[in-house]
Amino acid sequence: MNRRRFLLTSAGMFATVTGCKSSPSRVVLYCAQDREFAESILADFTQQTKLAVAPKYDTEADKSVSLYEELIREKDRPRCDVHWNNEILATIRLRRQGLLEAYAPPSAATFPAWSKASDQTWQAFASRARVLLVNTKLVPAAERPKSLLDLIQPRWKGKVAMAKPLFGTTATQAACLFEALGPERAEQFYKDLAANAVHIVPGNKQSAEAVSHGEVAIGMTDTDDAMEEKESGQLVEIIFPDREKNPEHPRLGTLFIPNTVALIRGAPNLDGGRKLIDFLLSVEVEAKLAENASHQIPLNPQVKANLPESILTPKDVHVMDVDFEKAADRWEHSQTFLRNVFAR
């Protein structure tokens, strides 16, 4: 993506950030959500409020990491007003470094308690699940894995794809597994994956595409990338792993990772940032994220949205019992370990 390229809506109301600062008539957004899903939402905000949004997006290959690092670099002189992250652990780490401003959005009043930071510095919304995508020509129904832990079986050697686990939701999943399974069991899982010749690809989209193209039998990915392949008519099926409780590992389950939104401390346009956060947490936006091609699962119980049959929700499966704050504690350990195992 060329970050110097200006994005203009039909009204010419928002553009990418190229080092510019906010003004009272513009809000700067650092956005790890996929551009294709965010743009129309930001255009709706501009149409309703007459406030332009200058979004800066991440790339698929370094999803959520480069924006996190940029926010750290700009800590003393922030350019960003609002951070829309597509996961949660980096947001928790930003809070711990004092980069986030407390704000209790009125539109988030009906969200569940767990989705709010204890100090009101971030709010979770619209989640995706970590799933397995299988090629139905290569994997008959009776042979499909039911658990992440099945992927280390010899039968799947060289037949599984995974995004590089140093970025985005793949890295988040790893830290969550270190928290839910314990470091020793999680380390063994990833060592066994590597020994089983897992294919490391740039991102979750590439993992899903490798399954569709028959390059691998199974891909670890997110529901939005899996649904893109399924809805395009590919011969694939989505598996929500560990949807049944495992007596040996009772905390293991399907991992749902929410988006988060946060106001940046010392932001140039705090008032505009608050307005954008209120809008992103509205019933209308969660419904739109559920019903557009990303099919993200609303957290606000007031949202009524039609999700495809292939998308299961936390009401349908056993959910991974993970404490995101404790998973953030595991971040450095898990990243150091995974870098040593998979860096190449």
Side-chain angles (χ1 to χ4, degrees), residues 247-323:
E248 185 178 355
H249 301 289
R251 296 183 62 199
L252 191 61
T254 300
L255 176 61
F256 291 84
I257 301 176
N259 286 259
T260 55
V261 64
L263 191 64
I264 301 302
R265 177 164 292 176
N269 188 358
L270 288 170
D271 288 341
R274 293 184 185 101
K275 290 177 182 177
L276 178 57
I277 288 173
D278 284 335
F279 179 81
L280 292 177
L281 297 174
S282 66
V283 168
E284 291 77 15
V285 167
E286 275 210 312
K288 188 166 187 174
L289 286 169
E291 294 181 349
N292 68 16
S294 66
H295 300 304
Q296 300 188 40
I297 301 162
L299 298 187
N300 186 343
Q302 292 190 342
V303 177
K304 307 301 179 185
N306 294 317
L307 290 166
E309 290 184 3
S310 297
I311 297 291
L312 303 182
T313 75
K315 295 179 181 179
D316 305 315
V317 301
H318 177 63
V319 178
M320 183 183 292
D321 178 15
V322 60
D323 183 320

Side-chain angles (χ1 to χ4, degrees), residues 58-125:
D58 242 324
T59 65
E60 179 68 24
D62 61 1
K63 187 63 73 178
S64 78
V65 174
S66 65
L67 292 181
Y68 169 85
E69 293 175 345
E70 191 147 1
L71 287 165
I72 297 295
R73 287 194 297 270
E74 296 173 357
K75 179 177 181 179
D76 295 330
R77 297 185 65 186
R79 298 172 182 264
C80 173
D81 298 308
V82 174
H83 182 34
W84 178 358
N85 198 2
N86 72 338
E87 56 91 39
I88 188 170
L89 298 192
T91 305
I92 292 172
R93 291 160 59 222
L94 288 171
R95 176 187 63 77
R96 292 177 177 182
Q97 296 182 66
L99 271 72
L100 306 184
E101 184 83 17
Y103 177 53
S107 57
T110 56
F111 278 71
W114 72 262
S115 69
K116 308 170 189 291
S118 59
D119 60 359
Q120 300 182 326
T121 51
W122 54 260
Q123 173 67 51
F125 69 114

